Amino acid sequence: MEEHNTGAGIPNVLLRADFPEVQPTSSSRKRRCERWVLSLTQTELHLHKVNSDSSATHRLALADCIGCRTFREDGDNQVTICFSAVFYPLRKKGRGPSATSSRKKVVKTFRVDSFEIFEKNQEIADIWARKIKELSALSLDVTDGLLYGILPQPSRVLILLNPHSGKGQALQLFHSQVLPMLNETEIQHKLIVTERQNHAHELIQEEDLSLWDAVIIMSGDGLMYEVLNGIMKRPDWETTIKKPLGILPGGSGNALAASINHYSGHDNAVDEDLLINCTFFICKGLTAPMDLVSVTTSHRHMFSFLGVAWGFISDIDIESEKYRTIGSARFTVGTFIRLTSLRVYRGRLSYLPANDDTGKQCKTSVDLEVNGFCHSLSCKQSTSTPNVNSQHMYNACNSNNLMKSHSSDSSIPFSKTTVASGPLDSLAPPLSKPVPNHWTVSEEQDFILVLALYQSHLGDQFFTAPMAQPNDEVIHLFYVKAGISRTSLLKLFLAMEKGTHLESGCSHIVHIPVKAFRLEPFTPKGIITVDGEQVEYGPIQAEIHSRLGRFISGVCT
Ligand code: ADP
Ligand code: MG
């Protein structure tokens, strides 16, 4: 006797029925449709072809499903109705460091034809669509809830898009790749196309963000930097910075997008593959805290999500602007050009190593009213006795003897130079003051580059800090010492694509996990970038602010 596979052996089936599958071509209505038994469990949709052996089965993970809707087909038959579920399963290509992961769309549409009455078929289609959507939505347990969040479903998002980012195709890509996915998930959105540099920076300071569950940036890292710093200038920065930010790679430097893709367990992806992965994350709506870094130069104070660069990397970033039409390949071209005439920069690095727990000894939180804003400090600092060198305060922290310490006007850092508001720095003294005794101060030396990175990727093809996590409370400080040969430097950069550069045994590259650092350049001219944007050249320092921001992050499936 022929054995028919009905999926009867699947445990914990919530819904089971058989329906004909509707193929995506318009003429399909006329074609004979295959009939499938559908079994819906808590985590999967199983499909078994009716009247076939067990080989004709498919399993689709609901974690990959972004939406399910019902619709009526065109044509003369008015009693049937369809439900259609959209999945983006992950396809892996290759193995090891060169593996790539990309999500490819799979749509499964079924016609409900069980009854001769439309309303009865509609009822069944609605039950299936609702249940598939409900089970596809992420849920968190109580412990995760402290760290992670989920956007309301369906969510409302504000999208800011730079039409000139990357190869200038961001708007086109939005319409062809992103919009269909947002519609499939029924995400409501408002799209604002930026008209000029700083447009998003100004707009985000004024916008009523209570209307939106998340703010999405479609561009490179530069527009995210504008938006982050706009948010930090708002009087309500303390709550607004918790509004989830999302990134859709449309630029030539897509470091944040590549990093988030990596944190979610996806292998490297570039171009449209990366864009689809990141859109998928927005559709699923998982949010996670992210460390941010406050950066101070002589005249500015800003916030950063990616990194500070000086020397080889910032030179390439800024000097390759003229090749922007070739997208992220501009960095590869720039690398080869810079290699032919290698520059050496003299300077001094000081830093607070990440494993130094000196600062933790004096961790008592107080609120201090500065410039009309309430700031939370992790080191208790008094403002009563001015004009005492800040060194005293840090020594006091060091010896866990805070109450006996002299206080100092340095307890209100940046009061003169602040552009962004935000939390006060508690690890780094003002730039004009010496670094605390417990910091490490390196010898003045010649560098090829200095890079402080707090994400895994420096660009979508530069897996520079494989050890970095979005909330590891660490600034990954790298430098390459002068004296390295061009060949070794080239090898380092080539290995960086796969993240194996630190395993190469090159003695010229140094990696130090830190919580704060100060860079004092002595070479009179050069380029310093923060998140890929050029800032004033001169002394610069930065410190980590643990979990200050919240970003839409990837889902490990
Ligand atoms: P890319 O990765 O391609 O460099 P970015 O997001 O970094 O893309 O943007 C590059 C620069 O363009 C940033 O400095 C950003 O502030 C600026 N910008 C944003 N919107 C516009 C616009 N409409 N016209 C010109 N420049 C813009
Ligand atoms: Mg950029």
Side-chain angles (χ1 to χ4, degrees):
M1 201 179 89
E2 195 186 351
E3 196 174 309
H4 296 311
N5 182 8
T6 60
I10 303 165
N12 304 323
V13 171
L14 303 169
L15 290 177
R16 178 178 288 135
D18 62 274
F19 305 109
E21 183 179 7
V22 180
Q23 298 299 332
T25 52
S26 54
S27 59
S28 64
R29 194 73 186 82
K30 306 280 178 289
R31 281 201 277 136
R32 188 178 160 270
C33 297
E34 301 281 5
R35 210 168 175 94
W36 297 82
V37 177
L38 273 60
S39 308
L40 185 67
T41 72
Q42 203 73 30
T43 55
E44 285 177 327
L45 179 65
H46 294 245
L47 310 176
H48 303 268
K49 200 183 274 184
V50 171
N51 294 335
S52 75
D53 62 24
S54 56
S55 63
T57 64
H58 297 290
R59 288 163 63 166
L60 291 156
L62 295 175
D64 295 331
C65 179
I66 64 164
C68 190
R69 67 187 181 100
T70 61
F71 66 95
R72 261 178 121 160
E73 291 168 285
D74 296 334
D76 45 13
N77 189 343
Q78 295 304 312
V79 300
T80 63
I81 181 167
C82 295
F83 65 91
S84 184
V86 184
F87 298 82
Y88 280 84
L90 198 59
R91 301 267 160 82
K92 281 199 167 224
K93 279 184 235 151
R95 280 166 175 237
S98 44
T100 59
S101 299
S102 60
R103 290 187 175 271
K104 293 280 180 285
K105 183 173 176 175
V106 172
V107 184
K108 288 286 170 193
T109 306
F110 299 94
R111 182 179 301 121
V112 182
D113 59 357
S114 316
F115 297 97
E116 291 302 319
I117 303 163
F118 170 73
E119 283 72 19
K120 287 204 162 189
N121 287 331
Q122 186 182 35
E123 203 177 308
I124 291 179
D126 283 345
I127 289 171
W128 276 85
R130 204 177 320 119
K131 201 71 189 165
I132 289 173
K133 269 204 292 198
E134 183 189 310
L135 297 172
S136 302
L138 294 173
S139 61
L140 297 175
D141 66 30
V142 181
T143 47
D144 285 337
L146 295 172
L147 206 59
Y148 297 101
I150 301 172
L151 295 183
Q153 301 287 332
S155 56
R156 301 160 306 166
V157 300
L158 174 67
I159 303 172
L160 301 166
L161 181 148
N162 171 5
H164 301 296
S165 59
K167 297 179 193 169
Q169 294 169 341
L171 189 56
Q172 202 181 319
L173 286 167
F174 175 80
H175 285 289
S176 64
Q177 308 292 331
V178 179
L179 192 55
M181 291 178 75
L182 298 184
N183 289 340
E184 282 153 4
T185 316
E186 296 168 49
I187 291 177
Q188 296 167 39
H189 75 278
K190 175 176 160 187
L191 174 67
I192 300 180
V193 177
T194 60
E195 290 160 13
R196 57 191 156 75
Q197 190 165 34
N198 277 332
H199 182 182
H201 179 74
E202 290 156 18
L203 182 147
I204 207 73
Q205 293 177 57
E206 306 294 329
E207 191 76 16
D208 177 5
L209 294 176
S210 67
L211 300 172
W212 310 109
D213 301 312
V215 177
I216 312 293
I217 292 0
M218 182 152 179
S219 187
D221 299 304
L223 197 66
M224 180 61 87
Y225 172 79
E226 273 194 25
V227 168
L228 169 64
N229 281 284
I231 288 174
M232 294 310 280
K233 281 184 184 172
R234 289 172 63 114
D236 63 353
W237 65 267
E238 215 157 350
T239 46
T240 306
I241 196 60
K242 302 299 176 202
K243 173 97 36 195
L245 295 171
I247 184 83
L248 291 172
S252 45
N254 299 311
L256 182 62
S259 300
I260 288 176
N261 184 64
H262 164 71
Y263 304 142
S264 68
H266 292 42
D267 298 308
N268 269 350
V270 295
D271 301 331
E272 286 179 26
D273 286 344
L274 182 60
L275 180 60
I276 289 172
N277 288 358
C278 290
T279 312
F280 177 81
F281 302 152
I282 290 165
C283 293
K284 295 305 268 187
L286 184 72
T287 70
M290 190 179 276
D291 299 335
L292 294 175
V293 167
S294 80
V295 180
T296 310
T297 61
S298 299
H299 300 98
R300 283 192 63 198
H301 176 221
M302 63 215 101
F303 285 85
S304 157
F305 60 90
L306 176 60
V308 177
W310 177 47
F312 193 72
I313 288 171
S314 53
D315 288 352
I316 290 169
D317 203 353
I318 301 305
E319 290 171 4
S320 70
E321 275 284 340
K322 49 183 174 285
Y323 310 117
R324 110 175 349 267
T325 49
I326 59 171
S328 59
R330 77 175 162 104
F331 301 118
T332 314
V333 173
T335 304
F336 280 98
I337 293 174
R338 253 308 25 98
L339 268 172
T340 56
S341 55
L342 211 50
R343 294 177 185 148
V344 169
Y345 292 93
R346 193 158 187 82
R348 183 167 54 213
L349 261 178
S350 315
Y351 51 85
L352 175 65
N355 55 12
D356 182 309
D357 58 359
T358 323
K360 284 188 183 148
Q361 295 174 2
C362 51
K363 217 167 187 151
T364 52
S365 201
V366 294
D367 286 326
L368 182 67
E369 193 80 19
V370 180
N371 293 342
F373 305 132
C374 200
H375 298 263
S376 198
L377 293 178
S378 56
C379 262
K380 186 165 181 168
Q381 300 167 0
S382 157
T383 53
S384 57
T385 319
N387 301 326
V388 179
N389 190 311
S390 65
Q391 200 73 39
H392 286 116
M393 185 185 80
Y394 285 92
N395 289 341
C397 285
N398 212 353
S399 61
N400 198 18
N401 196 11
L402 190 73
M403 299 316 288
K404 285 188 227 157
S405 77
H406 298 283
S407 56
S408 135
D409 59 354
S410 66
S411 59
I412 314 175
F414 319 125
S415 56
K416 294 267 183 332
T417 57
T418 294
V419 176
S421 43
L424 283 181
D425 286 348
S426 60
L427 303 174
L431 205 43
S432 55
K433 303 272 165 78
V435 296
N437 285 345
H438 61 281
W439 281 39
T440 304
V441 181
S442 72
E443 291 288 305
E444 181 181 328
Q445 58 181 307
D446 290 330
F447 297 101
I448 295 294
L449 67 89
V450 173
L451 172 70
L453 194 63
Y454 5 105
Q455 303 290 350
S456 60
H457 283 66
L458 181 62
D460 49 20
Q461 299 187 55
F462 293 94
F463 188 19
T464 310
M467 71 299 286
Q469 286 299 316
N471 41 52
D472 56 6
E473 287 185 54
V474 171
I475 296 173
H476 296 276
L477 188 60
F478 296 91
Y479 59 89
V480 173
K481 296 183 271 188
I484 188 171
S485 69
R486 283 187 177 82
T487 318
S488 301
L489 189 58
L490 178 62
K491 276 188 188 157
L492 270 186
F493 272 78
L494 292 175
M496 210 179 274
E497 193 183 334
K498 297 183 173 60
T500 54
H501 50 294
L502 295 170
E503 296 155 23
S504 65
C506 172
S507 60
H508 286 87
I509 184 165
V510 178
H511 166 233
I512 309 159
V514 305
K515 295 233 177 274
F517 72 92
R518 178 179 291 178
L519 167 65
E520 295 161 278
F522 299 134
T523 302
K525 276 191 183 160
I527 296 173
I528 295 180
T529 55
V530 174
D531 299 353
E533 300 296 300
Q534 191 166 0
V535 297
E536 76 180 288
Y537 185 70
I540 186 165
Q541 68 179 25
E543 87 169 59
I544 196 99
H545 287 270
S546 173
R547 299 179 178 180
L548 178 59
R550 182 162 278 277
F551 282 69
I552 293 178
S553 61
V555 186
C556 278
T557 56

